[in-house]
Amino acid sequence: MALIKLAVLFLAASVCLCSKHKSEKVPKLVNSQYGSLWPLPQSAQISVTAFQLSRSSFQIVHAPKSSAGSRCYLLGEAFRRYFEYTFGYSKRLNKDRKQSGAGAQVSELQVLITSSEPQCDGFPSVSSDESYQLTVDQPTAVLTAPEVWGALRGLETFSQLVYKDEYGTLHINKSEIKDFPRFNHRGILLDSSRHFLPLKVILANLDAMAMNKYNVFHWHIVDDQSFPYQSSLFPELSKEGSYHPYTHVYSPADVKMVIEYARIRGIRVISEFDTPGHTQSWGLGQKGLLTPCYSGEKPSGTFGPVNPILNSTYNFMTQFFKEVSSVFPDAYIHLGGDEVDFSCWKSNPDIQKFMEQQGFGTDYSKLESYYIQRILDIVTGTKKGYMIWQEVFDNGVKLKPDTVVEVWMGNALEEELHNVTSAGYTTILSAPWYLDYISYGQDWQKYYKVEPLSFKGTDAQKKLVIGGEACLWGEFVDATNLTPRLWPRASAVAERLWSHKDVRDTDDAYSRLSQHRCRMVQRGIPAEPLFVGHCDYEYRGL
Amino acid sequence: MLKNRAASCNAPLVSESFLGDVLQLSCAALLLLAIVPPAQGVWPLPQSLSSSAERYPLSPREFNFLYGKGSAVQPGCTVLDTAFKRYFRITFSGYSGGKPLTVNKQPGCVSPDGLWCGSAPLAALVVNVHKGGCDGFPDLNSREDYKLSIADGLGSLSAVSVWGALRGLETFSQLVYQDQEGTYYINKTDVVDFPRFPHRGLLLDTSRHYLPVRSILETLDAMAYNKFNVFHWHIVDDPSFPYQSPTFPNLSSMGAFHPQTHIYTMSDVKQVIEHARLWGIRVIPEFDTPGHTQSWGKGQPGLLTACYKGSVPSGTFGPVNPMLNTSYQFMSMLFNEISSVFPDSYLHLGGDEVNFACWKSNPDIQQFMKKMGFGTDYRKLESFYIENLVRIVTALNKNSLVWQEVFDNAVKVPADTVVHVWKGNKEQYSQEMSSVTAGGFKVLLSAPWYLNVINYGQDWMEAYKVEPLGFNGTAEQKKLVMGGEACMWGEYVDATNLTPRLWPRAGAVGERLWSDEAQTSNLDTAYDRLAEFRCRLLRRGIRAQPLFVGYCDHEYERI
């Protein structure tokens, strides 16, 4: 999914801007009745009655009847985080300062977990319950959720309801929110192979994801260009295949930290180890894994995809995926399977012989399927489910019923969704959300207007669409520009995947999203501006 | 400083089949991994540079920048004292005060010619400046040429002015690199260098989004690394008026996004000007009128033209009202202040994109048009305004820069006015360059360098391929091209994304305006140097984005 898009490079000729400040369709500045809420809850009643919040007395606490108590450190961390988001960035008010008037106060937010299995120590999954209900009243606001995952989403919403008046006093309006996600899989793909992404950047983006109610970090961790994943079983992979064996790798401790940081924010980490193509960097540390390409009768010295005819290949993959499946706790692994270039296989006489033996004729997609089938069986043996790019489905590989097919090709998108779901597979959509493609202007609107279920199909088919992913491929992105390029553009996708399908008013969205991006900036995320204007607190970093 | 030339390419990892795809990207640069000596990594490329494999170690503990005995400037020279300090830190950016240098590494000496071994260290760079003057400001005629010679363990830099010395120090800092063991080296090198164009500018727009002062200062640093020498400060415009005027404080208190947090105080402005001066950068402010002035109207009632709907005022306002004496009295006072605050001899007066609809709607304006005999040609009214304004500015002993419309509309302006070309595609802007220079005016090019317009991929190449003298015209006409400016308009840019959007893309413009065009026509070699240079920018703390896949030894580690 990475190379084809590169072809557009040349098409992107420089555009003539025939006016210096070519004004384009800029949404009207309206004052949304929903303030700065993003993504918009499924149901929100916000009254005009406003209460005050005081830094010195306000607390977030476990409700007495909550099934999660003080031992639930996931919530404890979240309480602290959201307290800081709510109060930490405002100038500390003088404690002695009299509260103006006799304004009623919200002095407590009680968090009530109702399920007997609150999931404090668990990992989020595709079936996690993220629903919650939030009642803001004085003196106590109550956040009710079956599981901690919903509580995390509700805490974010609570923090978004708080606003400051012109004297700096914090307020929150009497409100009633009932909320749940429209889609269960709401992901961001980051590519740490084409450029290495320092841990700090990944963690900051997990923070930003939580602010936008994303719940899947799709970690495209290795690819042709580099292999930064440090494997315990095969240390040579990163030693030889990374940009640098010490400064440009993810150690087991780094990976653990990412997974835990994500977990306590209700975010799954799905790792992608893409094969048999996109594996040039694997070959550097695992000799014999890739197919030697031939130039005429002699090996040319270059290598192609994973060699699918050797037992050693499958022995390696069995051990490797055993490790991966224990390192990454999520029930799914992404196996890639996209963009396999057949020219090297075709050049290799051993492969040709194997094709003959297997009766594949000259149809190399059969060889690809043969390989993928065996990889899928290997991964099934580790008790994991798998995700794959759409080619694997297109080539007719036999898939487990719970396979998730990721649709990334923009041409014939609706047809593909129709085909995948009528074959009974679950699917996620990323084709319209390749955020690495940049263009001048407010392209967030384009991402926002996408309707994932607009394809032809039965209700049962539509239910198989479990969500989507915003992808930020790494050809032109590293730590210097990743965050402003991703946010708030990915926020547009977040609302599409969380909120009700009828939430489509771009004027209203513009108003809320502008405020939401300023909030991200205030929380330390350098989210870029949507258009002309300002934030009360501009980004202070460099 | 970098492990190898390919530091930002992934070439060691790509197979032929992958290269096939890469070639489609015209990143053929990935193929060109021929080992070039470190000395060629200088960006922008010097006019003449020769170097050999002979190299000298440098010890951060012992190395010194020194004033030459015969130099016209000596210790106490603000510009160079500051520059020495700054360039020491930049040159030895990995140095933490730790291990002493091991010179004469004879045991490990493997070079067949023996030249790489045992060379005496380079103990100092001796700087000679022929003409004094450390407290002035750079201007259009400043001499920026310099000669740099590193030989026999001696470094010498000579320049006519301190501004040339600054350019030479930058080149020197780029010639120093670290080997695997961390030892700093510089090769035997001779550089004779001078800029192709005297005006190499960068425009920042602080009206559409406010840019904190530290963002501006950082941009000035990066400009100096790219040998830019003009900061065109598009300081105010329709959306906001952040310039705090002592004469008219209401302009910013009413017209800024916020009267305290989103303004430039007099001390901010002075800090920017002084920071720029110490880098040899001119600051040219733009106070664009009569259009682009919505924010002015808030703090200066009566300045803008009241628009009419039928026979009643609609409550909205158009361009500056050109028929009132009060308008010119105001401009006179404001520009009087501006011309003393900003020391540069040029002011940018704008004059672009004037929308006539509001003027047309206003009955008083209509009457004035009649009185003046302008008929219905509102361009004449615009010209009337601009001519008055230019008269005011000329009386203040300042020269004017104007956007091309002023020329297009045949406004009578003094002969030394510089026309700034910003419109259209290659054919259109070339035609305009022809016409302006045929009219005898000096000209600046920006049309192909609107860096706020972004595209997927390596769009720096488009900016790089521009030839500012590619228009039809005589040699005399071409001499009127002062240079050009990269523009970063602010619709979609603030402190969150300014730096990565600007760098290293503006570097392409920097080289086009500094270097010899015949030596810099190859995109592949440019790619190699620019990729290395962007890693150098990262090392200096500038958040410059990548050109393509690859890595830097030291990645950006902040958020």
Side-chain angles (χ1 to χ4, degrees), chain A residues 10 20 24 225 284 539 542, chain B residues 13 24 352 492 556 559:
Chain A
F10 273 138
K20 184 146 45 131
E24 42 192 306
Q225 288 78 6
L284 300 175
Y539 185 64
L542 281 179
Chain B
L13 302 181
Q24 290 177 3
D352 58 315
Y492 301 102
Y556 186 75
I559 296 303

Side-chain angles (χ1 to χ4, degrees), chain A residues 16 43 58 80 109 274 293 306 420 497 513 519 542:
Chain A
C16 150
S43 146
F58 180 80
R80 186 174 65 181
L109 171 63
D274 190 355
C293 315
V306 169
V420 171
L497 292 172
L513 188 53
R519 178 167 48 228
L542 281 179

Side-chain angles (χ1 to χ4, degrees), chain A residues 83-101:
Chain A
F83 184 89
E84 279 178 10
Y85 282 162
T86 310
F87 297 98
Y89 301 97
S90 54
K91 287 226 175 65
R92 194 182 281 263
L93 296 172
N94 187 346
K95 273 192 183 175
D96 301 331
R97 195 182 124 180
K98 293 233 168 64
Q99 290 293 346
S100 56

Side-chain angles (χ1 to χ4, degrees), chain A residues 274-288:
Chain A
D274 190 355
T275 65
H278 289 284
T279 48
Q280 289 296 308
S281 69
W282 300 51
L284 300 175
Q286 185 64 22
K287 303 294 173 216

Side-chain angles (χ1 to χ4, degrees), chain A residues 469-519:
Chain A
E469 290 186 348
C471 300
L472 194 67
W473 295 102
E475 281 83 355
F476 301 100
V477 176
D478 71 2
T480 61
N481 58 356
L482 183 144
T483 310
R485 190 160 292 191
L486 189 55
W487 309 104
R489 293 161 76 228
S491 303
V493 182
E495 176 150 303
R496 183 54 53 235
L497 292 172
W498 177 280
S499 305
H500 191 274
K501 70 174 187 331
D502 295 339
V503 177
R504 313 187 58 82
D505 179 342
T506 44
D507 291 338
D508 187 75
Y510 179 74
S511 160
R512 287 182 292 112
L513 188 53
S514 304
Q515 297 176 65
H516 180 54
R517 101 95 187 171
C518 286
R519 178 167 48 228

